[in-house]
Amino acid sequence: MFYLIGLGLGDAKDVTVKGLEIIKRCDRVYLESYTSILTVQRETLEEFYGRSLIVADRELVESCADEILPEGRDEDVAFLVVGDPFGATTHTDLVLRAKEKNIQVKVIHNSSILTAVGCCGLQLYSYGETVSIPYWTDTWRPDSFYERIASNRRRNLHTLCLLDIKVKEPTLESILKKKKDYMPPKYMSVNEAAGQLTEILSDKIRDDQSTEFTDQCLAVGLARVGCEDQRIVACSLRDMTSVNLGPPLHCLVIPAKEMHPLEIEFLRHYALEGSQFGEMTR
């Protein structure tokens, strides 16, 4: 059997009872380490689970996926994913590979940012397409995520923006020399994401293009959702460029143009001190 087990969003104790029972009895247990992170280290998880974990980085999952799957009919393998197992398309690929080999698959679901984002008060059924905001480089500055946010705004829908994670990314030099050398891990913050969005808006305005929203629109920053030190801030997109929500993981929400009164009342509790929250929600 091949098990995909969601770990939730917080710490070691967020695993379900069913998931923990399976982890304890599997022959091999992998911890996926590049689509998201928990607030605790692998050693803490190993102590809580009572067994060792094999770290599955991007290279292993995307290039050597067949090595992860059970090798025989009597072997059980667990693959642990932060959040819910189907929060990333990579894990769908693992399921398809297992089925092609006639390996039985069982999924143990858990909480995901796609539902936990409801903690900010914006109603889940009013969200449109989820977007990812990647880190820009000196030579690569994609802006397609703006178009998706604009499309949601036109339909009066909220947008959840998932922010880039760089873990075990090879350096340019190592790629050229075919030598394994990796950059330090980094995780995009809400102020970095807001900064890239405001730059796109400025470029469009400079080029006399119309925009679906401005840097004065309401934005909601969330950090470490599901953890004891979770933080939420509501302010203008421009103000968000200066907000420091602390350690990762962060996500950003651009609300719909029109919100339900209950959504506005809920968000009011997270309004940044000194911000013009009332003006942004009219």
Side-chain angles (χ1 to χ4, degrees):
M1 182 76 78
F2 179 59
Y3 294 96
L4 275 170
I5 301 175
L7 300 183
L9 297 171
D11 55 30
K13 294 182 180 179
D14 280 356
V15 66
T16 64
V17 173
K18 182 185 292 185
L20 182 59
E21 290 174 347
I22 293 169
I23 290 169
K24 287 181 176 293
R25 69 171 186 260
C26 277
D27 299 291
R28 285 182 284 140
V29 182
Y30 290 87
L31 174 64
E32 192 263 272
S33 66
Y34 72 90
T35 61
S36 190
I37 59 168
L38 288 177
T39 58
V40 294
Q41 300 299 313
R42 183 191 70 191
E43 292 76 15
T44 303
L45 295 177
E46 291 179 328
E47 182 179 357
F48 185 75
Y49 299 155
R51 62 165 309 141
S52 60
L53 304 177
I54 305 167
V55 174
D57 58 21
R58 180 187 294 272
E59 184 177 348
L60 176 61
V61 177
E62 294 187 347
S63 303
C64 308
D66 289 339
E67 296 179 10
I68 297 172
L69 300 175
E71 296 176 354
R73 294 180 62 86
D74 297 328
E75 186 179 34
D76 290 332
V77 174
F79 189 81
L80 313 185
V81 180
V82 176
D84 186 81
F86 289 125
T89 55
T90 298
H91 310 133
T92 304
D93 178 66
L94 280 172
V95 171
L96 292 175
R97 286 174 180 266
K99 290 184 179 294
E100 288 173 0
K101 295 176 177 290
N102 294 317
I103 297 170
Q104 294 185 73
V105 177
K106 189 167 185 178
V107 179
I108 311 300
H109 293 284
N110 209 318
S111 60
S112 163
I113 189 59
L114 298 177
T115 53
V117 70
C119 66
C120 72
L122 296 174
Q123 296 162 359
L124 291 178
Y125 59 76
S126 293
Y127 278 81
E129 180 182 0
T130 299
V131 307
S132 296
I133 299 183
Y135 273 114
W136 281 349
T137 69
D138 293 338
T139 57
W140 189 65
R141 292 166 61 93
D143 62 2
S144 58
F145 56 88
Y146 162 79
E147 300 300 338
R148 292 186 175 94
I149 298 171
S151 176
N152 285 339
R153 290 273 293 189
R154 282 191 288 271
R155 291 177 289 152
N156 203 43
L157 297 172
H158 312 312
T159 305
L160 169 61
C161 304
L162 303 179
L163 310 187
D164 203 358
I165 295 174
K166 296 291 187 186
V167 178
K168 210 169 181 181
E169 292 283 331
T171 62
L172 179 59
E173 183 178 299
S174 72
I175 294 172
L176 296 175
K177 293 184 177 181
K178 296 183 179 180
K179 171 189 172 185
K180 290 188 177 180
D181 189 19
Y182 303 103
M183 294 182 287
K186 63 177 182 176
Y187 309 91
M188 184 179 286
S189 62
V190 291
N191 56 295
E192 289 175 310
Q196 289 188 184
L197 261 177
T198 55
E199 281 195 52
I200 292 172
L201 293 171
S202 296
D203 290 345
K204 289 185 177 297
I205 292 170
R206 187 188 62 240
D207 295 338
D208 293 325
Q209 298 180 35
S210 61
T211 60
E212 195 61 36
F213 56 95
T214 72
D215 62 5
Q216 293 305 308
C217 79
L218 182 64
V220 183
L222 301 94
R224 300 172 301 285
V225 173
C227 302
E228 292 295 327
D229 61 346
Q230 169 181 300
R231 287 195 62 192
I232 303 174
V233 168
C235 60
S236 72
L237 184 63
R238 171 59 61 183
D239 287 342
M240 191 67 73
T241 62
S242 301
V243 168
N244 180 4
L245 292 184
L249 290 172
H250 294 191
C251 63
L252 182 71
V253 176
I254 305 298
K257 287 182 287 188
E258 299 175 8
M259 292 181 286
H260 190 281
L262 289 177
E263 293 180 307
I264 295 172
E265 187 58 32
F266 208 110
L267 278 179
R268 194 180 302 277
H269 293 279
Y270 302 118
L272 185 67
E273 186 175 351
S275 67
Q276 301 296 318
F277 182 81
E279 296 294 325
M280 290 180 285
T281 55
R282 287 180 181 174

